[in-house]
Amino acid sequence: TGHFFDSLDRDGDGSLGSEEVALFLRDQIGGSQFDSQSAVDDEVVTVIEKLDQNHNNGLEMSDVLDYWMQLESLLTAEEVRDWIVYAVQLPKSVGQIFLENGITGYDFLEIIENGGNVLRDELGVEKSSFINKIVKHIQARMLGIGSIPESPKNFSYKLESCKTV
């Protein structure tokens, strides 16, 4: 965890400020998930509000670890398998590797160390693109980015006819 945190802490002061979180979002997560600088800025505010335990407008490593230990999901190997397949969007065979090895969200800290080498060396994930994608998604989750959406509420439907959908 220290290596991941230190890689984000560009100025080495032991705290992630808004600019450092924004750099991570833009450079590491980036892509289609953030279409504009305002989208990055909005997510920075969300991340800091969600993780900042002592309300000092910065994130210390303890903030990130405390958040991670209060997972709302990814507690079981089945949840992690589904996350790998549906959120990370990798083949079911990769999700099955996580299930067969009993990988839960609590194992994520170990997985991201050394750039995710454990994925190749111990779990047998061979494609570098898959390893990079898994590591980026785990890092994003560690910063509170991305969560399982809530189930729809007050959902109703009306069957008009058996011939139309």
Side-chain angles (χ1 to χ4, degrees):
T1 307
H3 179 70
F4 167 62
F5 187 87
D6 292 343
S7 72
L8 300 179
D9 185 15
R10 303 273 174 115
D11 61 12
D13 68 352
S15 179
L16 303 180
S18 299
E19 290 180 18
E20 291 163 317
V21 174
L23 280 171
F24 173 74
L25 292 173
R26 194 172 40 253
D27 298 345
Q28 297 299 315
I29 305 299
S32 61
Q33 296 174 16
F34 299 105
D35 297 330
S36 66
Q37 185 60 42
S38 71
V40 171
D41 294 342
D42 290 347
E43 190 63 28
V44 167
V45 169
T46 300
V47 167
I48 291 179
E49 284 177 355
K50 190 184 289 187
L51 276 69
D52 186 13
Q53 300 290 315
N54 59 3
H55 308 290
N56 66 349
N57 292 319
L59 302 177
E60 287 77 31
M61 188 164 27
S62 62
D63 292 328
V64 175
L65 290 174
D66 287 347
Y67 171 78
W68 193 244
M69 291 303 152
Q70 299 171 19
L71 289 173
E72 78 276 5
S73 62
L74 302 177
L75 298 176
T76 68
E78 290 81 8
E79 288 174 329
V80 171
R81 175 203 54 208
D82 291 346
W83 180 75
I84 289 290
V85 173
Y86 300 113
V88 183
Q89 298 186 342
L90 292 176
K92 289 182 180 181
S93 60
V94 177
Q96 196 62 27
I97 290 170
F98 281 75
L99 180 64
E100 290 171 358
N101 286 279
I103 304 297
T104 70
Y106 294 115
D107 298 310
F108 282 7
L109 297 171
E110 182 180 346
I111 288 173
I112 65 167
E113 289 298 319
N114 300 314
N117 286 343
V118 71
L119 292 166
R120 178 179 288 112
D121 299 343
E122 295 181 28
L123 299 179
V125 177
E126 295 185 15
K127 287 185 110 178
S128 294
S129 61
F130 289 179
I131 292 170
N132 292 336
K133 194 170 188 182
I134 292 167
V135 168
K136 283 183 180 182
H137 276 78
I138 291 174
Q139 290 172 337
R141 282 305 304 267
M142 288 181 71
L143 287 180
I145 301 166
S147 60
I148 295 174
E150 292 182 24
S151 298
K153 292 182 171 68
N154 302 323
F155 179 77
S156 65
Y157 63 94
K158 180 179 175 185
L159 182 61
E160 295 290 330
S161 116
C162 292
K163 296 181 190 220
T164 61
V165 177

